[in-house]
Amino acid sequence: MNRILIVEDEPKLAQLEADYLRHAGMETHCLSDGLAVVPWLKDNMVDLVLLDLMVPGRDGLDICRDIRRFSQVPIIIVTARIEEVDRLLGLEMGADDYICKPFSPREMVARVKAVLRRLQPATINATEQAIGLCPQSFKVQYEGREVELTTVEFQLFHTLYQQPGRIFSRSKLMDLIYQDQRIVSDRTIDSHIKKLRKKLSELLPDKEIIHSVYGAGYRYDPQQGE
């Protein structure tokens, strides 16, 4: 069951969105305060965020940017701002799609399903289903065992894990992990990946799930590791 975070300060609209998504077989959680979104997401895993830009406390675009500092969870922006620059800015900050108010609840559900289909792998094998990520403690769990990662290691694995099969270049990973613009080299990412692989090998000693792609970068693929 997909879990959706609804960020909306209009109670009736939030309830309407939640009702339609639940009717479509999804689990929902609602937040109305922009200041609560990032802390909540750091402690909870969801499959998609439905983010209104005009929530009190923080601007939605700032929230979107901050989410991208630690997560690649799909984000659909909901906005009454019709200016094209706002739409483009939202997408450049990491949003996956946008919906303009007023909108049909059925259209909203269709957009959510489309983004989830686009970003989810076609098949999930038993290994991938069994691997668990705990953002509160930066631990990875598998069949009753667990290893604790550093903040950067967890961010790297979470980024790769969310999009199996996708190749992430070293520069893309650096942009996602080090958003404070610090100067790091390709070797820094390589070093973190090496340490991450060593820790994951404690959970899956006979399987390599993070693969190097010569001249391109890294990808997470538990099926190829079998």
Side-chain angles (χ1 to χ4, degrees), residues 8-191:
E8 172 60 63
D9 66 313
E10 297 181 36
K12 290 184 179 179
L13 180 55
Q15 187 61 54
L16 182 66
E17 293 173 347
D19 288 344
Y20 270 79
L21 289 169
R22 289 169 188 160
H23 184 72
M26 304 179 199
E27 180 183 344
T28 63
H29 181 82
C30 297
L31 293 175
S32 60
D33 182 1
L35 292 172
V37 177
V38 169
W40 190 90
L41 280 174
K42 286 184 176 180
D43 289 335
N44 298 271
M45 298 288 285
V46 296
D47 298 292
L48 184 140
V49 178
L50 199 59
L51 173 64
D52 191 291
L53 290 187
M54 300 296 289
V55 289
R58 292 197 66 192
D59 181 78
L61 293 178
D62 289 337
I63 296 173
C64 186
R65 182 185 60 221
D66 282 355
I67 292 173
R68 282 293 171 259
R69 289 177 175 171
F70 65 92
S71 174
Q72 290 302 300
V73 62
I75 300 173
I76 297 180
I77 283 177
V78 179
T79 179
R81 305 174 187 175
I82 61 173
E83 297 87 350
E84 187 67 18
V85 64
D86 280 337
R87 299 179 187 179
L88 293 175
L89 183 58
L91 296 175
E92 288 172 0
M93 284 194 172
D96 297 276
D97 200 357
Y98 63 87
I99 304 173
C100 287
K101 291 181 177 180
F103 58 85
S104 159
R106 290 185 176 86
E107 176 195 359
M108 178 268 299
V109 172
R111 292 287 190 93
V112 168
K113 287 182 176 180
V115 170
L116 290 173
R117 279 197 305 269
R118 187 168 73 240
L119 297 179
Q120 285 182 339
T123 58
I124 300 177
N125 70 5
T127 300
E128 188 172 354
Q129 288 177 326
I131 294 176
L133 279 68
C134 183
Q136 299 97 319
S137 60
F138 294 156
K139 291 181 179 179
V140 178
Q141 302 164 335
Y142 180 72
E143 293 188 346
R145 303 186 301 275
E146 65 180 23
V147 293
E148 185 172 346
L149 308 180
T150 66
T151 302
V152 172
E153 290 166 355
F154 188 88
Q155 289 175 330
L156 275 172
F157 185 54
H158 190 253
T159 298
L160 296 167
Y161 177 86
Q162 284 193 311
Q163 298 189 53
R166 174 181 171 180
I167 300 171
F168 285 85
S169 67
R170 290 172 176 82
S171 61
K172 181 63 174 179
L173 290 171
M174 285 189 287
D175 289 342
L176 292 171
I177 303 304
Y178 298 106
Q179 296 210 359
D180 56 2
Q181 307 299 314
R182 75 179 72 176
I183 304 300
V184 294
S185 68
D186 288 357
R187 291 185 179 276
T188 303
I189 294 296
D190 292 341
S191 176

